[in-house]
Amino acid sequence: MLNLNIDGKDVSVAKGTTVLEAAQKLGIDVPTLCHDARLKPFGACRLCIVEIAGMPKPVTSCTTPATEGMVVKTNSERLYRLRKTTVELLLSDHPNDCMVCSSSGDCTLQELAYLYGIRENRFVGEVRDHSRIDHNPFIIRDQNKCVMCGLCVRVCDEVQGVGAIGYSERGFEAKVITPFGHDLDCEFCGQCVSVCPTGALTGSLWSGKPRSEGVVKTDTTCTYCGCGCNITLRTHGDKVIRVESASDNHNRGWLCVKGRFGYEFINSNERLTTPLIRKEKGAPFEKATWEEALDYVAGKFTSLQQQHGSDSVAGLCSARCTNEENYLFQKLFRAGLGTNNVDHCARY
Amino acid sequence: MAGLAAKFGSGAMTNSVAEIADNDAIFVIGSNTTENHPIIALRMKEAVAKGAKLIVADPRKIPLVKFATLWLRHRPGTDSVLLNSMMNVILAEGLEDKDFINERTEGYEAFVESLAPFTPEYGEEMTGVPAGDIIKAARIYAEAGSAGIYYAMGITQHVMGTNNVMAVGNLAMLTGNLGKPACGVNPLRGQNNVQGACDMGGLPNVYPGYQKVDVPAIQEKFEKAWGTSLSAKIGLPATMMTEAMLDGSLKGMYIFGENPALSDPNTTHSVKAFSSLEFLVVQDIFMTETAQLADVVLPGASFAEKNGTFTCSERRVQRVRKAINPPGQAKSDLVIIDQLYKRIVGDGDLTHTVDPSSVFDEVAGLWPGIAGINYSRLQETSLQWPCPTADHPGTEYLFKDGFNREGGKALFSPIPFVSSKELPDKEFPYVLTTGRQLFHYHTGTMTRRSTGLNRVSPEAFVEINPADADVLGVADGEKLTVSSRRGTINLKARVSKIVPQNVVFIPFHYREAAANLLTSDAMDPICKIMEAKVCAVKIEKP
C-alpha cells in the first residue's frame, strides 16, 4: 500500500491507483469531463488537474499514479482559475443552445459552466460548423457540441470492441468520424451515447421528448435476453421515453441495441387492450369484459377437466414473464386442474 | 438442462458473468454470444484484452471469431465428436486433473474407454476441423489455470442435444474446471426469465425448485402447502403436446407470453395442432400468430407495467418494477392468473388483488434455494441463488463443496456419436441452421415494432456461401426459394463467407419467411428438445 496526503487528509491506496482515484476514495470531488472509471485514463480535458508538492506545474490527476509520500492539493485559487479558463475555452466553441438541447440537465459541460458561473466568454471567435447529418436510425450526432473528450471513441474500442468511430483532423478541425465519413453503421449499442458528457450524441428516440418536467425514473430489469441487465426507465405519464443504465450495476451500465433502443413496442398502438372471445370456431373475435372472459375461461377448463380428465388440459408458461406469474401459473395447473401438463419454450 | 442435471444435480449456469473477465481460457461452443448475449460477450472481450485465450467452435464465422485465438469450424451436428476428440487428446497428453477426477467424480473408467475411438484424426474426418486444431484447442483449454465453457442453443437444439451438453460437462470435469471461480459449465439463457420459469416449476416433471413430482414425500409437501391432492404423473413436455393435440387427447390449452406458432420447429405441424384444440386461451401483449388461433385472448402487461422478479442466466434474482399503467383494459398477468386460479378452485376473495411480494414469499417457503430472498432484500440488491438464509449473501459459483447428487460427486457419462436426424442428400443438398440476429429478438413481436431496429434489419435473408451462390448463379440480394420436406419460403440471398459451403443460415424472426416452416421437429429422446439447428433443404431460383 502507498500512503499519500490529499488536501490535508491521509489515505492509503494500492499500487497502480491514480491520484484521482485516491482523491475519490477520500470523497473529494475533482471535476472531470473525459474520465470514466470503466475506461483507461486518457487525460484530454485537463479539468482534473491537481498540484503535487515538488512538481513545478499542475498535473492531470487521472493519469498520474499515486506514489509514496505524495502531498496533493486538489483545490487552490490557481487551480480554480485554470479550470475555469479550460471550461471557458470549451464554451467558446460550443453552441449556446441549452434551451433546446435534449441533453440539457444531463450535460457535464452545462453543469461545469453553471458551477464556474460562466455567463460571458472572453474567447469569442470563430466556431466550428459541422453541418453533416448522419442518417443512422438511432443516434443523433451533433459534432458542433463535441468537446473531443474521446469517451465515445474509447468505449467503442475498449468495451464494445467495434471501433466504429475514430478521430480525424487536428486542432480546431479535429472531429470524431466514421470511416470515410459515412453514416454510422455499427452494432448501435449506444454505449457512446451513454458516456457522452454533452449533447453531441443523443438517442433519436428521446430527442424532443420531455427532459425533466414530469419525468419519472424507475429501476427495473431488461426484458430481452438472459443477461439480466439493470435498466432505468424514464417515463412521462404512461409513455416510456428513454432507457438508460447506471454504471454501478452488474452490467456496468452497458446495454445492447435492443435493451437501449428497442422499447417502442411498449407504447405500440397494436397492443391488446381488451379481452377477446371467439364464441365458436371460425367466428370473429368479440370484445368482452374481464368478468365474462375470466368466467368463460374458468368454466371451459373446469368442464374439460370434468368431462375428459385432468390430463386433457395443458399450459405453456413463459420465459418472458415474472417468477411470480410462472409460479402461480404452474400452481393453477397442478393444484387447480390436477395435472402436471405445464412446460415452456426453454425446450425449443 | 436435463444433461447437466444428470451430471451435477443442477442445470443452471455454474459460474457468474463477472467472473468471465478472469478466465484464462474461454471455450464458446454453439453460442453466437455477441449477437444473442451482447453484454455477456463484453466480458469475453474484456478477458481477451487481459490476455485470456478464446476458442470459438461454430460452423458460422460469428462476430466473436474476430477475438478468438482459435476458431474451430466444425460441421453442424458434430459437436460431441469435437468435444470427445479434444478429451481424447487431453488423456493422451496426460493433461487431465487427476485429483479432481479421484475426489469429486464417478464413472471415470467406463468414460475413458468410450473415448478411445475419438482420436483427433477421427475427429477431423467427422467434424471437418483439422486434427492439429483439435489438439491445439485441447491444450489451450486443459492447460489454462481456469477455463470456462459457454454454450447455448447451438449445441442443444439437436436430436443429440442432451449428449452434447453431457460432453461439455465431461470436458469440464476431466480438467477440474468446476467448483471454483472463473470456470465451469455455463449455459447462456436465451430469454430474460428462462432460468426463472424453470426455477418456478414451469416444467412437467418438477415443482418449484426442481423438486420431482413423482417423489411421494415431495408430493405430500406440496399437497399440504396447496391444500389439495396432486398428480404424481409426470406431465407432457411442450414438444409432445403437439402430438397429444393432434390425437385428441389434449383438448384445452392456456398459453401465456409465448408464440409457439412461429417459434416451434415445423410450424405447419404445430399450427395444425393448435387449431385442432377444443379450447385455446392465449394471454399476450400483442395479437401474435398463436393468439390468432385462440378462442379467448387475454391482454396482459409488458414488463414496464408490472411488479415482480426475473432470474437471469447467472441465477440472479432481480426486481422488475412497474413504471407505467398497462394500456386500455390490459391487466397485470399475475392478476389475471390469480383471478382464474380463484375461479377454478372456487375459493379465495375475487376482490382482493394479489401481491407479488407475498407470492414470492410463498415460493421461498417451498424451495430452500431461495428461502433467504425476499422483496425487502431485493430492494437493496439482486441476489444469486442458492441463498438459503436471510443473512446469506447469495452464491457466485456452484459446487464449491460438492455436487447436488447423492454422494456429492459428478458423473462422467460416455457419449457415443449420434448423427443428426436429417442429413443432406441429392434432393435436399444443403444443411439449414437457424438462429437470431443482433437487431431482432425471437419472433419479432417486440423488435419488429421498433422503427429503428426494423430499419436496420427490415427483412428475412438466407446466408449462403459465395461458392454455393456461384453454382446457383445468384447474386447478393436476389430472391431465392428455400424448401425442406416440410415447407417452402421465399427470401433474399445474402452472399457471405460467414457460412461455410453447403450450409445456409436463416434467422427465425420473420413471419413472412418463417424459418421454422422448414425446420425439423425431430426430438432429443431425453429432454425432448427439437432439432432446430440442422435440417436438409434445397435452394432454387424462383
Side-chain angles (χ1 to χ4, degrees), chain B residues 87-107:
Chain B
M87 289 185 265
N88 178 296
V89 174
I90 289 170
L91 285 179
E93 303 198 353
L95 298 172
E96 74 274 20
D97 184 337
K98 294 186 185 71
D99 292 344
F100 185 90
I101 294 165
N102 288 336
E103 286 158 25
R104 304 201 54 184
T105 69
E106 55 196 31

Side-chain angles (χ1 to χ4, degrees), chain A residues 135 160 221 228 230 258 273 278 290 295 312 319-321 324 327 331 334 343 345 347-348, chain B residues 45 157 191-193 203 236 238 251 258 292 295 305 318-319 329 343 362 375 438 455 527 529:
Chain A
H135 293 98
Q160 200 66 19
T221 305
N230 296 161
K258 297 184 287 283
T273 54
R278 202 196 302 270
W290 274 109
D295 286 341
S312 68
R320 317 282 307 126
C321 294
E324 294 75 6
Y327 170 77
K331 185 176 169 187
R334 293 196 157 113
D343 200 0
C345 79
R347 202 174 296 279
Y348 298 142
Chain B
K45 295 174 192 173
Q157 285 180 332
Q191 309 198 45
N192 56 333
N193 205 29
L203 296 167
L236 288 173
K251 301 194 181 301
E258 287 206 346
Q292 283 164 16
D295 299 285
E305 295 147 9
Q318 311 192 92
R319 274 301 312 275
Q329 303 295 307
R343 281 170 164 85
E362 184 178 324
Y375 272 36
L438 173 64
R455 232 182 89 188
C527 81
I529 195 168

Side-chain angles (χ1 to χ4, degrees), chain A residues 135-138 159-162 186-188 191 218-231 233 235 237-240 250-252 254-258 261-262 264-268 270-278 281 285 290-291 293-298 300-302 304 308 311-348, chain B residues 36 38-40 42-43 45-46 66-67 153 157 189-194 196 198 200-204 206-208 226 230-231 233 235-239 249-254 256-258 264 277-279 284-287 291-292 294-297 299-300 302-303 305-306 308-309 311-313 318-321 323-325 327 329-331 333-334 336 341 343-344 356 360 362-363 366 375 438-439 441 446 449-453 455-456 527-529:
Chain A
H135 293 98
N136 79 77
F138 297 106
V159 173
Q160 200 66 19
V162 169
C186 61
E187 294 179 0
F188 296 112
Q191 256 54 296
T218 309
D219 292 332
T220 187
T221 305
C222 179
T223 187
Y224 282 105
C225 75
C227 292
C229 297
N230 296 161
I231 57 174
L233 298 178
T235 54
D238 280 335
K239 294 243 179 319
V240 176
H250 72 88
N251 49 298
R252 299 174 294 177
W254 309 135
L255 297 175
C256 74
V257 62
K258 297 184 287 283
F261 299 123
E264 285 163 286
F265 75 91
I266 300 169
N267 292 114
S268 161
E270 294 176 62
R271 284 283 301 272
L272 293 169
T273 54
T274 172
L276 301 168
I277 297 180
R278 202 196 302 270
K281 293 282 175 195
F285 280 122
W290 274 109
E291 287 302 309
L294 293 167
D295 286 341
Y296 185 57
V297 172
K300 270 284 193 183
F301 275 115
T302 313
L304 282 174
H308 305 286
D311 290 333
S312 68
V313 294
L316 287 180
C317 62
S318 176
R320 317 282 307 126
C321 294
T322 68
N323 287 327
E324 294 75 6
E325 289 155 0
N326 279 298
Y327 170 77
L328 213 51
F329 188 88
Q330 59 88 37
K331 185 176 169 187
L332 175 121
F333 275 86
R334 293 196 157 113
L337 293 163
T339 179
N340 287 312
N341 283 345
V342 60
D343 200 0
H344 70 286
C345 79
R347 202 174 296 279
Y348 298 142
Chain B
N36 291 317
I39 303 306
I40 291 178
L42 296 186
R43 295 282 188 184
K45 295 174 192 173
E46 187 185 344
K66 195 174 100 181
F67 300 87
M153 292 299 192
Q157 285 180 332
R189 302 299 196 184
Q191 309 198 45
N192 56 333
N193 205 29
V194 175
C198 296
M200 292 299 120
L203 296 167
V206 288
Y207 292 116
W226 291 341
L230 297 168
S231 167
K233 188 180 155 200
L236 288 173
T239 42
S249 57
L250 196 54
K251 301 194 181 301
M253 269 191 87
Y254 180 6
F256 153 52
E258 287 206 346
D264 267 13
L277 282 169
E278 204 173 309
F279 188 59
D284 212 303
I285 61 173
F286 288 108
M287 184 56 85
Q292 283 164 16
D295 299 285
V296 176
V297 176
S302 81
F303 82 111
E305 295 147 9
K306 57 190 174 192
T309 55
T311 305
C312 71
S313 209
Q318 311 192 92
R319 274 301 312 275
V320 175
R321 294 185 182 87
I324 55 172
N325 294 304
Q329 303 295 307
K331 268 188 202 297
D333 298 273
L334 193 66
I336 303 172
Y341 179 77
R343 281 170 164 85
I344 284 171
F360 193 93
E362 184 178 324
V363 197
L366 290 164
Y375 272 36
L438 173 64
F439 295 106
Y441 184 78
M446 304 187 321
R449 286 182 170 86
S450 154
T451 42
L453 295 171
R455 232 182 89 188
V456 187
C527 81
K528 314 291 182 203
I529 195 168

Side-chain angles (χ1 to χ4, degrees), chain B residues 271-287:
Chain B
V271 166
K272 203 170 133 201
F274 290 123
S275 312
S276 69
L277 282 169
E278 204 173 309
F279 188 59
L280 174 63
V281 181
V282 172
Q283 180 172 327
D284 212 303
I285 61 173
F286 288 108
M287 184 56 85

